Amino acid sequence: MWNKTKTSIFTATICTGSLLILNEIVIGVILPTIQKDLHLPGIDIHWIVNSYFLVLAVLALGAGKLADIIGYRKFYLTVTVLLAVSSAFCGMSNEFIELFFWRCLMGVGATLVMSVGKPILISVLDLNERGKINGISASIKGFVATITPFIGGVIIHFVSWHYVFLFNIPFCVLAFFLIWKDFSENKEKSTQKFNYLSFIFFIIFLTSFVT
């Protein structure tokens, strides 16, 4: 039976899941404006994009396991704060090195949120609800992907590219509040240890392909 808890969890995971899509797509819209405002050469501006996706690629493998060990609720709340804080500092950045650093941290937050959002939602759904809710979730995210270029264009036209990053914050706050208030974890934490050494070697291996 559908209830308030499921509504809250669904809303929270849709908020953060949609933000990840928005941040992946909107950067292509605002990139020329960032390059002009910060007077960046072509090689530097590409790292504003690559930093986010590189971090996402190297952390995706181990993020889910960390969530199992730490616990979904604590993990989600922590990484949502990280996503909000990094978004805020991206929005306040006026130098390449600042934007690059905080964009990397935004990639960390996005990857970790992505790894735990779906498991949290599935954990509160009945088996017969999962297919329907996954379909609704995919439709909403598809719609967000469609309107993201329009949102980015409106923001940079009427205010500034900085506000594209600040746009994330209220949705992170809402998601944090809903999970904190309504999600009570009933899944036991994993007792297996995280293989940090192998994970570090994987990160080194993957980043070695980047020149």
Side-chain angles (χ1 to χ4, degrees), residues 83-118:
L83 182 59
V85 170
S86 58
S87 296
F89 278 99
C90 277
M92 293 185 287
S93 298
N94 288 303
E95 298 289 341
F96 166 74
I97 196 65
E98 291 177 78
L99 186 57
F100 173 77
F101 175 77
W102 292 112
R103 180 76 174 160
C104 285
L105 281 187
M106 184 188 283
V108 174
T111 307
L112 301 182
V113 165
M114 178 181 66
S115 70
V116 74
K118 182 60 72 68

Side-chain angles (χ1 to χ4, degrees), residues 166-193:
L166 299 177
F167 184 79
N168 295 342
I169 298 173
F171 294 96
C172 290
V173 171
L174 175 61
F176 180 96
F177 175 74
L178 291 174
I179 295 294
W180 173 79
K181 182 172 68 75
D182 290 327
F183 180 64
S184 299
E185 191 163 8
N186 53 20
K187 175 184 175 297
E188 292 186 3
K189 298 178 183 179
S190 174
T191 56
Q192 295 181 347
K193 293 183 178 180

Side-chain angles (χ1 to χ4, degrees), residues 26 29-30 147-157 164:
V26 77
V29 178
I30 66 174
I147 65 171
T148 289
F150 173 76
I151 294 173
V154 168
I155 292 175
I156 60 175
H157 179 76
V164 171

Side-chain angles (χ1 to χ4, degrees), residues 98-145:
E98 291 177 78
L99 186 57
F100 173 77
F101 175 77
W102 292 112
R103 180 76 174 160
C104 285
L105 281 187
M106 184 188 283
V108 174
T111 307
L112 301 182
V113 165
M114 178 181 66
S115 70
V116 74
K118 182 60 72 68
I120 285 179
L121 180 59
I122 289 175
S123 72
V124 300
L125 296 176
D126 298 330
L127 285 175
N128 62 334
E129 296 173 328
R130 293 178 182 177
K132 178 181 178 180
I133 296 304
N134 280 335
I136 294 172
S137 176
S139 298
I140 293 173
K141 292 174 183 177
F143 175 71
V144 170

